[in-house]
Amino acid sequence: MTKKITNAAGHLKSSAHLDDTDEREESTIEIGSPKSWAAGVPGVLHSTIPAVERMGLARTGKTLLAMNQKDGFDCMSCAWPDPTHRKTFEFCENGAKAVTWEATPVTIGSDFWAEHPVSDLLGRTEYWLGMQGRLTEPVYKAAGDDHYRPVSWDEAFRVIAGKLNGLDSPDQAAFYTSGRTSNEAAFAYQLFVRAFGTNNLPDCSNMCHESSGWAMGQTIGIGKATITYDDFGKADLIIVMGQNPGTNHPRMLTALEEAKDNGAEIVAVNPMPEAGLKRYKNPQRVRGVIGRGTGIADQFLQVRLGGDMALLQAVSKRVLAAEAANPGTVLDHEFLREHTQGLAELTEHLAQLDEAAVLEASGLRTADIDELTARYLRADKVIITWAMGITQQKKGVATIKEIINLLLLRGNIGKPGAGASPIRGHSNVQGDRTMGIWEQMPPAFLDAIETEFGFDPPREHGVDAVDTIRGLRDGKIKFFMAVGGNLVGAISDSQAAEAAMHGAEMTVQVSTKLNRSHAVVGDEALILPTMGRTEIDRQATGVQFVSVEDTVCAVHPSWGKVAPVSPDLLSEVAIVSRLARATLGTKVNVDWTGFERDYDLIREHISRVVAGCEDYNIKIRQDGGFLLPNGPRDSRTFPTPTGKAILTVNDLEHLDRPAGTLILQTLRSHDQFNTTIYGHDDRYRGIKKGRHVVFVNPNDLVELGLSDEQLVDVHGVHDDGVERVLRGFRAVSYPTARGCAAAYYPEANVLVPLDLVAEGSNTPVSKGVIVRLEPARAAEEVLVG
Ligand SMILES: Nc1nc2c(c(=O)[nH]1)N[C@H]1C(S)=C(S)[C@@H](COP(=O)(O)OP(=O)(O)OC[C@H]3O[C@@H](n4cnc5c(=O)[nH]c(N)nc54)[C@H](O)[C@@H]3O)O[C@H]1N2
Ligand SMILES: Nc1nc2c(c(=O)[nH]1)N[C@H]1C(S)=C(S)[C@@H](COP(=O)(O)OP(=O)(O)OC[C@H]3O[C@@H](n4cnc5c(=O)[nH]c(N)nc54)[C@H](O)[C@@H]3O)O[C@H]1N2
Ligand code: SF4
Ligand SMILES: [Mo]
């Protein structure tokens, strides 16, 4: 007997993500070793992405074999680096999903737009929208019209340029970027936006690793990893915090396995026993145990949400106490003396740390913390990696500063096998930043733009992602453009964000496929279809390649391999260049036509503007690319105002959870890439054919008087008078930390208040929302045989 559960009242009807039972794919994927799995690729993918059926073996083979090879394209999924010695199959299951999702020959025909008015698209799920196939022609929705209609490219650029030039101020426009954009397109885009006259360049990073950039910038002077790929193989200890690599950076598990073979210890810090990291020995049920056979982690610290800062401070305190007990034997005194400042203040501050507060905040036992400390003290070379579990917290910036503190104490920055390693999300999110996609680029970069192009770029900081929504809400921003991404789908407070976006006068999306941001639009709206990274990019001077930067600062070329799905597609570079020409005319002296004809021309400018990219055209062609310079990593040179790495003092604060509530995190399933939903299973967590679930510790369920699989309404607890609720979700008994719950992003974004942001970085607190669960109102269970 199958239990079919109908969702409660159409609460989310006009807002996000309807129940979509009819659209769900049934699948039972099995995973084997990479090679045997790769041989069965078409079959495996068919069950995940129906579209692959129509891709044919030739296109499938061509794309997958070219992935992450030196003369192929860079996997567009995550920012995990490629090993120095590449194998034939240098990809993972989730990379293959991303590729087939993009390279599908299923396209949206011209008749689609007449059949599906915007009001219809508004009622569709992200899954349905993505499944319609690739966008193939520019479309325009006039004010007052409910339909997009195909337009010519020239007409599209004319309409947008007219709108932009009619604004009272350039700051009434915001230009978003998602992290798949190539370095060349990103450089051209930020140049256009700054020549137009604004620094309003929000990006997905504002919602992602912004906290890492802030914390590392302030402490070691650079917001990027201080390790290379090879350092994983040299480490004695790798601590993986707030990250689920098995799903989100799958090939990282290979690097961890290799590190382990070389003798490294691995520690996972996470409220969830994630597959690949931890094998849960004594599960309440089968959930959470499947995955890659044995777990990699030697120690698993099941921390409470937001409890990492307490844990890190407690370990540092123990390290300092060990030094006090045996002076001169524990700390790296030479390193601390020569390269850091702030040791005395940190020592004094941590001496006051209250162990009871640490245990309360972290949910850990003293023995766990002692064990981690012992591992840390045993190891000469330590890497700490982290992702969204750390950055998307109110205290995310301070927590990362504590990671830096701990590493600095024993000189674990700037030596082989050691370092700080934020693991980035989108495949080129780091490169986009390097190219100037940031609302707060430093003066040196703006000066270089001025010298190179002869115009004075605006100096005032622009808006980030959250402030873009606020600006739209308050009527200060009237025009919104996005190169990639799905801002209303990805940002917090879905209802507020959607209302704000509806208030825009014009919205423009440069996209490969449909998503919610094409349905939640301004008075006038345009969709400009673009080529993906798999596709051959032929311009007037011949086939072009683009370049990207991975999470360890390696920059390499990416060559498309298959014919574009439609001859009408333009590359992102071409779209940006033509829009710049249409909008700016001869206002600035930039050869936009030349940019589109030959990407080498853009790279020539990059070599003169972007520090570390000198001789870009030569270096990018050398043996698959080059490594960007990184002072802390290369020479223990810290580009801070004092030239020293800074040990910081951060006040411990922990999330206050009123009785009867839980702390909720919003996370990814195994079958999605951010707002792109490939399918409705989360295999490693034992969930099939559904996403409307909330994971809760079995003891908390009992305490709350709820039962496993009961339908509940999830209420946000935030005293701003706004009702935020997810109705008809299934409570799933799951071995997460006590007092903590989890639900999937983006469905649960409706619960994250727009104003709940990380201190300093303004990143939405997607991993620390206080909620209350109540038995579902008006829910009915229908049993079907
Ligand atoms: N297949 C696939 N790959 C992806 C993506 C995708 O959606 N799908 N997204 C890409 C992007 S943009 C990004 S940013 C990365 C995201 O990669 P991750 O950061 O791994 O993504 P999340 O699913 O958000 O998982 C957060 C993890 O942190 C844990 N966590 C949550 N809160 C806390 C906390 O307070 N403390 C600790 N210690 N742990 C915590 C969660 O239990 C979970 O394991 O992945 C990238 N790669
Ligand atoms: N609650 C909650 N919210 C979150 C998070 C969370 O963990 N919890 N995570 C945050 C994070 S880490 C991130 S990075 C953001 C992600 O935010 P975004 O980057 O804005 O969202 P994506 O879902 O990655 O964007 C997917 C869309 O990009 C377009 N696209 C794909 N490939 C290409 C391409 O090659 N070119 C162009 N032009 N378009 C393309 C497609 O139309 C696709 O629908 O979400 C954030 N939001
Ligand atoms: S680990 Fe990331 S970059 Fe590498 S193949 Fe998998 S999804 Fe692509
Ligand atoms: Mo991200």
Side-chain angles (χ1 to χ4, degrees):
M1 182 147 68
T2 325
K3 236 198 300 183
K4 187 181 170 207
I5 293 164
T6 36
N7 205 339
H11 169 73
L12 291 172
K13 215 171 206 132
S14 64
S15 129
H17 326 293
L18 290 177
D19 187 9
D20 45 2
T21 316
D22 321 342
E23 297 156 3
R24 287 177 195 161
E25 258 299 281
E26 298 214 14
S27 68
T28 43
I29 308 167
E30 298 292 336
I31 197 168
S33 67
K35 216 161 177 201
S36 61
W37 175 81
V41 158
V44 169
L45 290 178
H46 166 63
S47 46
T48 315
I49 309 174
V52 80
E53 195 177 51
R54 293 183 43 194
M55 215 161 116
L57 275 176
R59 200 174 165 93
T60 309
K62 232 186 203 161
T63 46
L64 294 180
L65 285 173
M67 207 161 154
N68 296 331
Q69 300 298 321
K70 281 186 180 157
D71 58 350
F73 61 89
D74 181 68
C75 173
M76 69 290 280
S77 193
C78 79
W80 183 252
D82 298 309
T84 325
H85 303 290
R86 304 178 200 217
K87 307 180 185 81
T88 315
F89 295 108
E90 208 49 84
F91 60 90
C92 70
E93 176 198 352
N94 278 347
K97 285 180 197 163
V99 165
T100 46
W101 184 83
E102 174 183 301
T104 171
V106 178
T107 54
I108 291 180
S110 299
D111 46 351
F112 176 89
W113 307 104
E115 266 173 51
H116 299 283
V118 177
S119 51
D120 173 69
L121 301 181
L122 210 48
R124 304 289 181 169
T125 57
E126 292 283 9
Y127 178 72
W128 186 92
L129 291 167
M131 283 300 147
Q132 301 314 300
R134 287 285 298 277
L135 293 155
T136 54
E137 59 189 337
V139 291
Y140 168 61
K141 182 195 95 64
D145 199 341
D146 192 24
H147 285 89
Y148 284 107
R149 297 169 205 281
V151 285
S152 69
W153 279 104
D154 285 347
E155 178 65 5
F157 293 127
R158 201 190 54 73
V159 169
I160 303 168
K163 185 77 208 174
L164 284 171
N165 288 324
L167 295 174
D168 295 337
S169 148
D171 290 334
Q172 289 183 331
F175 299 85
Y176 178 74
T177 312
S178 168
R180 269 188 198 179
T181 298
S182 67
N183 281 352
E184 289 74 7
F187 185 82
Y189 185 45
Q190 63 80 31
L191 184 64
F192 158 58
V193 172
R194 294 196 161 101
F196 173 66
T198 182
N199 277 319
N200 284 347
L201 283 157
D203 69 348
C204 65
S205 191
N206 298 144
M207 303 178 272
C208 183
H209 265 294
E210 197 70 62
S211 304
S212 307
W214 273 97
M216 296 175 78
Q218 286 169 13
T219 51
I220 61 168
I222 181 169
K224 297 181 178 184
T226 71
I227 60 162
T228 67
Y229 185 89
D230 292 339
D231 285 318
F232 282 100
K234 299 175 187 157
D236 300 322
L237 172 66
I238 302 171
I239 307 177
V240 181
M241 304 187 76
Q243 195 197 347
N244 177 20
T247 283
N248 297 316
H249 305 94
R251 284 191 305 152
M252 182 173 164
L253 292 186
T254 313
L256 293 177
E257 271 167 0
E258 283 166 9
K260 220 175 149 77
D261 287 347
N262 293 345
E265 293 186 340
I266 315 280
V267 172
V269 183
N270 203 307
M272 306 273 274
E274 302 287 29
L277 285 181
K278 166 72 180 144
R279 186 177 179 141
Y280 202 73
K281 298 244 175 52
N282 187 15
Q284 298 285 329
R285 33 197 320 145
V286 198
R287 287 168 191 150
V289 295
I290 6 185
R292 293 171 61 108
T294 55
I296 293 177
D298 298 283
Q299 189 187 356
F300 171 53
L301 289 121
Q302 189 162 36
V303 73
R304 215 166 258 168
L305 286 166
D308 304 83
M309 188 179 168
L311 168 65
L312 289 157
Q313 288 192 336
V315 176
S316 287
K317 179 181 178 164
R318 284 162 166 76
V319 170
L320 290 165
E323 168 70 23
N326 287 294
T329 62
V330 173
L331 302 184
D332 185 338
H333 289 282
E334 197 188 319
F335 172 79
L336 288 166
R337 213 172 26 246
E338 255 179 62
H339 298 291
T340 71
Q341 65 187 71
L343 179 61
E345 292 87 336
L346 179 67
T347 310
E348 193 189 332
H349 182 250
L350 290 183
Q352 315 298 319
L353 185 68
D354 175 17
E355 181 82 1
V358 165
L359 301 183
E360 166 73 22
S362 66
L364 299 168
R365 295 168 310 152
T366 297
D368 301 326
I369 304 173
D370 290 344
E371 185 183 334
L372 177 59
T373 307
R375 290 180 195 277
Y376 184 73
L377 292 177
R378 259 202 316 271
D380 280 332
K381 294 162 287 176
V382 180
I383 292 175
I384 302 184
T385 78
W386 69 92
M388 295 306 99
I390 301 297
T391 64
Q392 297 174 337
Q393 293 289 355
K394 183 155 175 261
K395 287 285 177 185
V397 174
T399 304
I400 296 158
K401 286 183 176 175
E402 294 294 352
I403 290 177
I404 301 294
N405 281 345
L406 179 59
L407 288 171
L408 289 175
L409 286 178
R410 283 178 44 89
N412 277 309
I413 288 187
K415 69 180 179 192
S421 178
I423 305 288
R424 251 118 199 160
H426 269 292
S427 59
N428 198 40
V429 63
Q430 190 163 314
D432 291 345
R433 271 294 164 90
T434 307
M435 294 298 129
I437 301 291
W438 193 24
E439 73 283 355
Q440 313 183 21
M441 281 309 277
F445 180 87
L446 301 174
D447 293 344
I449 293 268
E450 187 175 351
T451 309
E452 179 72 6
F453 298 101
F455 71 89
D456 189 15
R459 301 281 165 161
E460 214 171 289
H461 289 172
V463 289
D464 62 9
V466 164
D467 283 338
T468 295
I469 299 298
R470 290 182 178 137
L472 285 160
R473 177 194 65 195
D474 300 340
K476 291 183 189 146
I477 293 172
K478 299 177 186 304
F479 172 96
F480 175 80
M481 173 167 173
V483 174
N486 178 8
L487 183 62
V488 293
I491 193 105
S492 44
D493 230 343
S494 315
Q495 286 171 345
E498 297 197 352
M501 194 60 80
H502 277 303
E505 291 177 7
M506 180 183 282
T507 50
V508 179
Q509 304 282 336
V510 178
S511 315
T512 51
K513 281 195 168 185
L514 278 181
N515 61 47
R516 184 122 189 114
S517 291
H518 304 103
V520 181
V521 293
D523 300 338
E524 290 177 88
L526 292 105
I527 304 175
L528 309 179
T530 191
M531 284 176 197
R533 227 183 260 169
T534 48
E535 289 166 320
I536 299 168
D537 185 355
R538 193 179 295 281
Q539 302 294 347
T541 60
V543 173
Q544 307 292 312
F545 69 88
V546 294
S547 51
V548 292
E549 176 185 343
D550 64 31
T551 192
V552 290
C553 313
V555 183
H556 41 92
S558 177
W559 295 86
K561 282 291 162 190
V562 292
V565 286
S566 155
D568 293 333
L569 295 182
L570 291 182
S571 71
E572 289 181 351
V573 168
I575 291 172
V576 169
S577 302
R578 291 186 195 192
L579 178 59
R581 226 169 46 201
T583 309
L584 302 174
T586 53
K587 189 179 154 200
V588 291
N589 184 21
V590 176
D591 182 6
W592 301 109
T593 312
F595 279 14
E596 177 178 344
R597 288 170 52 84
D598 183 357
Y599 298 178
D600 271 358
L601 187 58
I602 307 177
R603 285 186 286 263
E604 270 173 40
H605 290 298
I606 291 174
S607 35
R608 289 189 292 266
V609 172
V610 182
C613 289
E614 300 76 17
D615 297 323
Y616 200 57
N617 271 314
I618 299 168
K619 286 193 285 192
I620 195 69
R621 287 174 165 88
Q622 282 166 357
D623 194 31
F626 67 101
L627 208 56
L628 280 168
N630 180 310
R633 181 197 66 204
D634 302 336
S635 56
R636 294 186 155 178
T637 309
F638 296 94
T640 57
T642 57
K644 305 236 177 202
I646 301 164
L647 293 151
T648 53
V649 163
N650 308 288
D651 286 327
L652 182 60
E653 190 187 291
H654 94 272
L655 280 173
D656 197 18
R657 180 169 67 87
T661 65
L662 298 171
I663 310 172
L664 177 93
Q665 63 157 322
T666 59
L667 43 50
R668 292 153 173 82
S669 79
H670 194 64
D671 268 1
Q672 73 183 82
F673 187 88
N674 296 342
T675 67
T676 295
I677 310 302
Y678 301 130
H680 291 83
D681 295 349
D682 191 3
R683 191 166 84 253
Y684 293 159
R685 298 196 185 105
I687 300 298
K688 276 188 190 159
K689 298 179 205 152
R691 294 178 48 87
H692 292 181
V693 294
V694 51
F695 299 99
V696 186
N697 182 288
N699 296 320
D700 286 320
L701 274 185
V702 171
E703 223 175 83
L704 295 170
L706 298 167
S707 53
D708 189 19
E709 298 204 13
Q710 181 171 350
L711 279 182
V712 295
D713 294 340
V714 187
H715 293 263
V717 179
H718 190 75
D719 57 357
D720 60 358
V722 179
E723 190 189 31
R724 297 183 181 84
V725 55
L726 276 177
R727 294 204 187 276
F729 270 47
R730 217 178 333 171
V732 174
S733 171
Y734 197 85
T736 182
R738 278 304 300 271
C740 301
Y744 295 125
Y745 145 63
E747 287 84 348
N749 287 34
V750 72
L751 295 171
V752 187
L754 189 67
D755 292 335
L756 189 62
V757 289
E759 288 169 9
S761 65
N762 216 29
T763 296
V765 179
S766 302
K767 306 281 195 271
V769 184
I770 308 291
V771 297
R772 201 179 63 242
L773 305 190
E774 285 179 6
R777 182 154 58 80
E780 56 179 315
E781 265 198 31
V782 186
L783 292 176
V784 288

